[in-house]
């Protein structure tokens, strides 16, 4: 017995029922059991909607996640931790590739692509060991280090703080994925396969 689901309408109830049924059909021993662990709590939904609004305004998901990461590192600097200096290292590790060419015959994009920011999506794919090694080695181009070529490796607690911020980024990305998956299922239930495909495509392309 999966229990009861309270919903504001029949379409919402059907959406919740499908998602709930999909989750219950995966046993805990299934290696893919976490694929349908959908968490649509209010905090996660608000967080995801903020990112989707930024995407609607023309920014990529990778850039928006990168902005968040850099802001978190800046806000958490202090108290013996100097995290701002690792922003440049992460930018060189996962740079944002802006400036995509517009296909022939397509209208010119009016929105400006983000630059000089970490690509949050690419960074989440980098192994933790690689990130730790890069934080110790520093950026490849150390001309902007003061004094030049005198990069200081992370002090105790700094590498862990950077990795914790990246882990929070992964949870934010997971919230966006949960919201768009639920939206896609809801559109399918409502008989709108084109809108369902658009929701999933937004997540897959990150645009």
């Amino acid at each position: 017995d999966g229990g009861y689901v309270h919903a504001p309408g029949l379409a919402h109830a059907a959406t919740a029922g499908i998602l709930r049924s999909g989750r219950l059909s995966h046993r805990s021993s299934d290696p893919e059991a976490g694929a349908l662990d959908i968490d649509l709590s209010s905090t996660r939904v608000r967080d995801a909607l903020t990112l989707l609004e930024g995407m609607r305004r023309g920014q990529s998901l990778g850039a928006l996640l990168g902005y968040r990461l850099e802001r978190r590192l800046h806000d958490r600097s202090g108290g013996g931790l100097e995290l701002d200096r690792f922003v440049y290292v992460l930018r060189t590790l996962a740079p944002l590739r802006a400036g995509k060419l517009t296909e022939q015959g397509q209208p010119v994009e009016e929105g400006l692509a983000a630059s000089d920011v970490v690509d949050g999506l690419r960074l989440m794919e980098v192994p933790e060991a690689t990130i730790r090694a890069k934080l110790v080695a520093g950026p490849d181009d150390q001309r902007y280090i003061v004094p030049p070529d005198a990069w200081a490796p992370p002090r105790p607690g700094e590498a862990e703080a950077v990795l914790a911020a990246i882990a929070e980024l992964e949870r934010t990305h997971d919230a966006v994925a949960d919201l768009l998956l639920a939206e896609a299922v809801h559109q399918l239930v409502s008989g709108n396969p084109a809108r369902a495909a658009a929701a999933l495509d937004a997540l897959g392309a990150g645009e």
Side-chain angles (χ1 to χ4, degrees), residues 112-174:
L112 296 178
S115 60
D116 295 332
V117 67
V118 178
D119 188 333
L121 287 177
R122 291 181 63 189
L123 183 63
M124 289 189 296
E125 297 176 355
V126 179
E128 179 180 324
T130 303
I131 297 176
R132 285 184 177 274
K134 192 64 176 177
L135 295 178
V136 173
D140 297 331
D141 185 0
Q142 299 194 9
R143 292 177 297 172
Y144 303 104
I145 306 301
V146 180
D149 299 323
W151 175 258
R155 292 187 289 270
E158 288 184 339
E160 288 71 20
V162 173
L163 292 172
I166 296 175
E168 291 180 14
L169 207 65
E170 294 174 349
R171 290 192 290 271
T172 301
H173 178 256
D174 184 65

Side-chain angles (χ1 to χ4, degrees), residues 20-95:
R20 175 76 168 158
S21 177
R23 179 63 188 90
L24 292 176
S25 67
H26 289 273
R27 299 180 182 274
S28 58
S29 58
D30 188 341
E32 301 298 330
L36 291 176
D37 277 340
I38 307 299
D39 183 357
L40 296 180
S41 56
S42 58
T43 301
R44 283 169 58 89
V45 169
R46 284 196 301 269
D47 211 18
L49 286 175
T50 301
L51 290 181
L52 291 175
E53 179 61 28
M55 294 172 66
R56 193 175 291 114
R57 295 178 181 272
Q59 294 290 347
S60 69
L61 181 57
L64 293 169
L65 290 172
Y67 288 135
R68 288 204 167 199
L69 176 62
E70 293 188 6
R71 185 66 186 180
R72 284 170 180 166
L73 294 180
H74 174 75
D75 291 342
R76 295 174 186 179
S77 293
L81 299 179
E82 188 181 352
L83 305 181
D84 279 326
R85 63 195 185 102
F86 297 112
V87 169
Y88 182 49
V89 177
L90 297 178
R91 286 180 181 177
T92 60
L93 188 62

